[in-house]
Amino acid sequence: MNNVIGFFATASRPSEASHRAVRNTLERLARFSRMPLGEGCIGDITLYLIGNEIPVVPSQADAPFDFMLCPNDAINPEWDRYLKVRVSPDGVHVENDYAATIPVYYSTEKHLSVSNLASCVEQDLAVKMDDISPDAMFGFLRFSHFIWDETAFSTVRQLIPDAKADFFLTLENSIVPKHSVKASSSRCNRTDNQVADELYELNRELVMRTLGDAETVILPLSAGYDSRMIFSVLASDKQTKKRLHCFTYGDPGCVEVEAARMLCEREGVAWQRISLPCHFLSRPYLDVIHDIFGASLHMHGMYQLEFFEQLERVMPKMEGAVLTSGFMTGVPAGQHNRLLGISAPTDSLYQAMENFSQSRVWPNEMLKELPLFRGNDYSECAEARFRSAFDSAPGEIFHKSIVFDIWTRQRNFISYYPRTLEWRIPTISPHMNTDYVNFFLSLEKPHLDDRKAVELMFTKHYPEHAAIVSNSNGIKTLSRGFDAFLYAVAAKLQRLRLTRLLPKKYWITDLWLDIPALQNSGPDGLYPLLSEDAGMGEIIDGICGRSVANEQGRRALRGDVAAYERLIPIQSVLLSLMKTQKL
């Protein structure tokens, strides 16, 4: 299996301290992933690769060198996440997938530096406090993700989605859109039955072509539609059903666990509940996540590493196994269109994005009080970045809303899932391709709101699966019945904390992970936010102020979820500066 996970290309000299720091990061990631690290030179560019059975990088070459990042070379790379890379003596040339789910971070500030690992480019540039971009950080804190092509640092950019780019040694760039995402009206007159049938056939084709030949398929199964779309196909086939193993993390009684258990019991599929120890905010986990994501993503997703460690303990055989992900399944189907509520070209995209709960942890008034922003409101800058993404998307307003959601929030905020787990196991996302998104971009609005097409497919083709509770559109089932009634009652009783009056499977227990992990780790889970180091203290003072960091830290340690979520974007930036400035 040729499976390149990470690459780093730089024109800096190997003798430079920043270059050596990057190499140390890559060596740590190679040890963590149990994969080799390859090194070579193409002209004046030093190239590093991490992966399983990676191509041999020439020690010194004057001809172009091609490779690809993708989950599994046993399938067509364009059926899933991919990044095509060519390193030539004149520069680095890349082509990404339609959603840029394998990111490209680059800089032409001092010299050419390109990688899918933000931490490597940050270290290669030796970013410092003066490089922090206040307007970019405003968007990062306000929405919990970066918006378009910015990063925390003015010297580092990220490649926009669905593009081809040439980064030259002359420090000139050429970025050209590919336009592989296409909206149409080809299904605008389809009936509900026709949409259900066509999506059923498409979903089956996508899942079977990517997972049908896998020796073992591991599916983290939840109560949502996304993993259920994969489950329903695999569980309905006699051969793949035998090779399917489902796991769910959470406490007994929570909807995720109960729905997954009922689905697997009905189909006779192997299933096991996994209990996470919630120690994933200890320093080793923080360090690994930061090595992968740098300051490009807030410090989130460590629980995925702990989940995989528990998985290794209970799986009888991991060799030849692939993990499948429902990543990029719901949003193309219209999951957030009604939530975004964009109905006219002139609607405020900033306000539309405020409808996500993660966009409300730092209200504008609180942000303006932070030292980094000096009382300035950067909401207009954020609106302009959102507008760049929205105006680049094809189709009608309801089509553009889908692509806008994918290109901004989804690729930056949700992509931690496959990007974390692929370092330990091939992670395949059957719906991460243009065949899938372009299907939904040919439907009318009524078939997109709240994933109506998906619900029609389940109701018609998988009625027994539809009858089992889902939390994708609130707590409900798609088929009416006794369960649907009791879950509706449970949803009302939950507000009064009286769900335990019902049988256990209707308790609707919340799935809490971060706060228990923080309480297990203590202040170390927020490292280095509460550091007393003088150099780090100056940086904290420049971003949010030590009084704010300490106050929000105390609240987080007492169980305040919003306080914790306010700090983790700042934490990721502090970790980057700590490493580049050797604090």
Side-chain angles (χ1 to χ4, degrees):
M1 182 186 300
N2 179 7
N3 188 13
V4 178
I5 301 298
F7 85 97
F8 172 66
T10 181
S12 66
R13 297 179 181 178
S15 59
E16 293 179 11
S18 58
H19 189 129
R20 294 196 301 271
V22 173
R23 185 185 174 90
N24 290 337
T25 296
L26 293 168
E27 289 174 345
R28 287 196 302 271
L29 283 172
R31 289 193 297 270
F32 165 74
S33 63
R34 304 165 192 165
M35 296 179 184
L37 172 63
E39 176 184 358
C41 291
I42 293 86
D44 293 329
I45 298 175
T46 304
L47 173 65
Y48 296 92
L49 299 179
I50 299 177
N52 186 26
E53 299 181 12
I54 57 175
V56 177
V57 186
S59 57
Q60 187 66 53
D62 293 321
F65 181 77
D66 296 279
F67 60 94
M68 178 175 283
L69 282 73
C70 58
N72 190 339
D73 71 347
I75 62 174
N76 183 328
E78 295 190 19
W79 289 352
D80 203 337
R81 308 165 60 237
Y82 73 87
L83 179 69
K84 298 177 182 178
V85 185
R86 165 171 285 194
V87 181
S88 65
D90 69 341
V92 180
H93 317 274
V94 300
E95 176 185 334
N96 58 12
D97 61 45
Y98 89 87
T101 48
I102 299 177
V104 175
Y105 303 98
Y106 65 93
S107 178
T108 52
E109 186 72 16
K110 300 177 182 177
H111 52 262
L112 181 61
S113 183
V114 186
S115 180
N116 69 313
L117 304 166
S119 61
C120 290
V121 179
E122 292 164 2
Q123 291 175 30
D124 196 30
L125 272 288
V127 294
K128 53 189 181 300
M129 179 66 188
D130 290 346
D131 295 321
I132 290 181
S133 170
D135 56 331
M137 282 294 294
F138 185 89
F140 189 23
L141 296 181
R142 191 70 180 83
F143 301 103
S144 297
H145 60 81
F146 291 105
I147 298 173
W148 192 226
D149 65 344
E150 78 281 9
T151 73
F153 305 104
S154 59
T155 52
V156 181
R157 313 298 290 182
Q158 60 174 315
L159 180 61
I160 61 173
D162 203 21
K164 291 183 178 181
D166 299 305
F167 306 111
F168 296 105
L169 281 176
T170 57
L171 306 186
E172 297 176 350
N173 304 324
S174 171
I175 299 172
V176 180
K178 286 166 46 184
H179 302 296
S180 60
V181 180
K182 303 180 188 302
S184 72
S185 57
S186 60
R187 293 182 175 86
C188 67
N189 295 317
R190 295 292 199 274
T191 65
D192 286 357
N193 276 332
Q194 288 173 323
V195 169
D197 291 344
E198 289 188 38
L199 180 54
Y200 168 78
E201 294 295 339
L202 175 64
N203 184 50
R204 180 169 179 79
E205 177 189 352
L206 298 181
V207 173
M208 291 301 293
R209 77 184 187 183
T210 52
L211 298 169
D213 295 329
E215 292 180 33
T216 302
V217 177
I218 298 171
L219 172 63
L221 184 61
S222 70
Y225 294 164
D226 298 349
S227 59
R228 194 172 303 194
M229 286 183 72
I230 300 172
F231 172 86
S232 293
V233 173
L234 296 177
S236 301
D237 182 272
K238 290 183 179 179
Q239 296 304 314
T240 56
K241 181 179 186 176
K242 296 175 184 177
R243 303 194 294 268
L244 176 61
H245 296 260
C246 295
F247 296 88
T248 309
Y249 45 80
D251 296 326
C254 78
V255 173
E256 308 286 0
V257 169
E258 288 304 310
R261 179 185 61 77
M262 288 188 282
L263 283 165
C264 291
E265 282 183 358
R266 182 175 293 279
E267 295 296 345
V269 170
W271 175 80
Q272 190 168 343
R273 182 183 73 85
I274 294 219
S275 179
L276 298 187
C278 285
H279 292 291
F280 56 79
L281 290 182
S282 63
R283 283 289 303 280
Y285 290 102
L286 295 177
D287 288 339
V288 168
I289 285 293
H290 187 268
D291 282 346
I292 295 171
F293 296 103
S296 70
L297 189 75
H298 64 62
M299 294 304 290
H300 181 68
M302 283 75 74
Y303 68 92
Q304 295 290 345
L305 299 177
E306 192 172 70
F307 165 68
F308 185 79
E309 290 174 352
Q310 298 303 308
L311 192 63
E312 283 185 307
R313 296 176 182 177
V314 300
M315 270 293 289
K317 180 185 176 183
M318 294 291 285
E319 186 178 352
V322 298
L323 186 141
T324 187
S325 159
F327 170 65
M328 212 59 83
T329 300
V331 173
Q335 178 179 359
H336 296 144
N337 271 22
R338 192 186 295 274
L339 179 66
L340 285 167
I342 304 170
S343 58
T346 56
D347 284 354
S348 168
L349 303 172
Y350 184 93
Q351 290 180 4
M353 273 290 170
E354 282 188 325
N355 292 325
F356 291 103
S357 61
Q358 294 87 358
S359 302
R360 296 192 291 268
V361 296
W362 276 111
N364 273 15
E365 293 307 311
M366 287 184 69
L367 282 180
K368 286 192 291 186
E369 293 177 1
L370 300 187
L372 181 64
F373 306 122
R374 305 176 193 274
N376 294 315
D377 185 344
Y378 291 94
S379 56
E380 289 187 6
C381 183
E383 175 73 29
R385 288 195 172 109
F386 281 132
R387 182 60 56 187
S388 295
F390 189 84
D391 289 348
S392 300
E396 303 292 335
I397 294 294
F398 52 90
H399 292 144
K400 293 170 82 71
S401 294
I402 286 174
V403 181
F404 167 69
D405 191 5
I406 292 170
W407 282 355
T408 57
R409 183 177 187 270
Q410 192 81 350
R411 73 181 175 108
N412 283 300
F413 183 72
I414 306 299
S415 63
Y416 72 87
Y417 178 8
R419 287 170 60 194
T420 298
L421 288 171
E422 69 182 354
W423 288 88
R424 300 307 299 267
I425 184 171
T427 302
I428 293 176
S429 307
H431 304 106
M432 192 18 252
N433 57 76
T434 53
D435 292 337
Y436 186 72
V437 68
N438 286 342
F439 170 86
F440 291 101
L441 294 183
S442 70
L443 297 179
E444 293 180 292
K445 185 177 185 295
H447 285 139
L448 294 173
D449 286 350
D450 299 325
R451 287 182 276 186
K452 181 65 174 178
V454 172
E455 294 192 339
L456 290 170
M457 182 199 72
F458 275 120
T459 302
K460 181 175 182 181
H461 292 281
Y462 303 106
E464 292 183 340
H465 297 174
I468 293 172
V469 65
S470 171
N471 60 358
S472 280
N473 283 329
I475 300 295
K476 70 174 187 178
T477 56
L478 302 182
S479 302
R480 295 179 180 179
F482 185 66
D483 272 352
F485 170 74
L486 281 185
Y487 274 111
V489 172
K492 295 182 181 299
L493 291 178
Q494 187 185 34
R495 301 189 190 106
L496 303 173
R497 299 183 181 179
L498 295 175
T499 51
R500 297 196 177 221
L501 295 174
L502 298 173
K504 189 172 184 179
K505 81 173 197 174
Y506 302 106
W507 283 2
I508 315 184
T509 307
D510 289 322
L511 179 60
W512 293 105
L513 294 174
D514 290 336
I515 293 301
L518 183 59
Q519 291 170 342
N520 284 334
S521 67
D524 281 352
L526 295 170
Y527 181 83
L529 261 163
L530 306 180
S531 172
E532 295 183 2
D533 177 88
M536 185 55 62
E538 288 181 11
I539 294 174
I540 295 171
D541 279 340
I543 296 177
C544 63
R546 273 176 283 197
S547 60
V548 170
N550 291 336
E551 173 61 22
Q552 296 299 319
R554 284 193 294 269
R555 291 185 180 184
L557 290 166
R558 290 198 299 265
D560 187 327
V561 176
Y564 176 71
E565 291 180 342
R566 288 183 192 117
L567 294 177
I568 51 180
I570 298 173
Q571 181 184 19
S572 67
V573 175
L574 291 177
L575 283 167
S576 288
L577 293 172
M578 181 188 74
K579 293 184 177 182
T580 59
Q581 301 304 301
K582 298 180 173 55
L583 297 174

